[in-house]
Amino acid sequence: MSAPALPARPSSLAARLRWTAADGLTLVGRELGRLRQEPGELIAALIFPAVMVVLFGYVFGSAITVPGGGNYREYLMPGLFVMVSFTSVMAVTMRVATDASRGVMDRFRAMPMARSAVPFGQAGADLLNGVLALVIMAATGLVVGWRAHRGLWPTAEAFLLLVLLRHALSWAGCFLGLVVRNEQTADQFVPLVFPVTMLSNSFVPTGGMPGWLRAVADWNPVSAATAACRQLFGNPGAPAAHTDLAWPLAHPVAATLLWSIALTAVFAPLSVRTFHRRGR
């Protein structure tokens, strides 16, 4: 018996986009269904933000003075929001590497589906997880005294900026997972994300760092995103006007948007290309 013929690849751009979106949403559903079957992973992902708020807020808060005064937990929360967004790299890398090592990716390549749908599905599923994590962290922050002071629209802009950044980082995680292709190796890369988030203005001011280290911290995308959230939330530590700051800190919203666009523009095509080439 001959094998059934696979559907022809759509010829028009609009048809290809619909095909990719439909297959990608199917894979988003697959990831969410997997979390229902393994609830421990979801529970751990949701507990982590709350633990970070309590741990850093009360341990660091007793020892650090906020520049210009203010509540340290209000200073801290924007940095924790960004830190949780950066966990996207770790989470997606692990999931993609696990699927690749178990042969799931090979089965996807054998199916009549859009090649970009698999990375799209991984990024989409992580985006939903990220939104839920931000909600949990915001609720915990409100309990410990954090507030957004500039009103509804700036607050919404800050959270949209965090979602955009997380989505961009999920593409980077997808690419790394496809390159590594081994869950044990990917697990060794996970701790490398923490120095990136710590070498920033998330938890402590950068003014006391040595000059060369401060320059690295000021140009870190984590610092730009944290400064943008502090500015939009109206929290302590927001960059002041007419001060001598590195460009990303003087224009943190624009810098975060540029980082998000650049990461997506680089890693989205790389993820699709790597997924396609691994099947040859």
Side-chain angles (χ1 to χ4, degrees):
M1 181 181 295
S2 60
L6 296 179
R9 185 173 183 266
S11 56
S12 68
L13 176 60
R16 288 199 298 270
L17 289 175
R18 287 195 298 270
W19 185 34
T20 299
D23 288 347
L25 290 173
T26 299
L27 291 176
V28 169
R30 176 235 176 204
E31 288 298 318
L32 297 179
R34 186 178 62 81
L35 288 175
R36 285 197 300 270
Q37 296 171 0
E38 301 174 7
E41 181 180 340
L42 179 61
I43 292 171
L46 296 180
I47 289 176
F48 175 76
V51 171
M52 290 297 100
V53 172
V54 175
L55 179 63
F56 284 97
Y58 288 97
V59 174
F60 282 13
S62 62
I64 296 175
T65 302
V66 177
N71 185 296
Y72 178 73
R73 285 186 286 280
E74 287 209 336
Y75 174 87
L76 173 71
M77 283 303 301
L80 289 180
F81 284 132
V82 177
M83 181 180 179
V84 167
S85 297
F86 264 75
T87 61
S88 172
V89 177
M90 301 182 292
V92 178
T93 298
M94 283 297 300
R95 285 202 301 269
V96 173
T98 299
D99 281 349
S101 65
R102 296 178 181 178
V104 176
M105 292 298 180
D106 293 332
R107 290 196 289 273
F108 283 152
R109 292 187 190 96
M111 298 173 66
M113 64 192 313
R115 288 293 182 238
S116 54
V118 173
F120 175 85
Q122 292 285 351
D126 181 76
L127 187 62
L128 296 177
N129 293 337
V131 169
L132 188 54
L134 286 176
V135 170
I136 297 295
M137 176 165 277
T140 309
L142 291 172
V143 171
V144 301
W146 169 76
R147 296 292 184 271
H149 300 286
R150 293 194 56 198
L152 177 62
W153 290 115
T155 300
E157 289 173 7
F159 282 114
L160 286 174
L161 202 63
L162 289 166
V163 169
L164 179 64
L165 179 63
R166 182 172 184 117
H167 186 62
L169 290 165
S170 67
W171 285 106
C174 186
F175 171 71
L176 291 174
L178 289 168
V179 170
V180 172
R181 301 180 67 189
N182 184 286
E183 55 188 306
Q184 287 78 24
T185 304
D187 189 54
Q188 300 302 314
F189 280 97
V190 166
L192 298 179
V193 175
F194 286 103
V196 177
T197 57
M198 298 298 290
L199 185 56
S200 67
N201 62 358
S202 297
F203 308 110
V204 296
T206 60
M209 297 180 182
W212 65 272
L213 192 61
R214 179 179 179 180
V216 173
D218 287 348
W219 283 87
N220 187 339
V222 177
S223 293
T226 301
C229 289
R230 285 178 181 145
Q231 184 180 86
L232 292 169
F233 289 139
N235 291 151
H242 311 297
T243 54
D244 185 18
L245 296 173
W247 187 87
L249 297 186
H251 308 86
V253 175
T256 305
L257 286 171
L258 288 174
W259 272 113
S260 301
I261 293 169
L263 288 168
T264 304
V266 170
F267 287 107
L270 279 175
S271 297
V272 175
R273 185 179 181 184
T274 304
F275 176 76
H276 181 65
R277 285 193 166 188
R278 291 295 186 186
R280 294 181 177 179

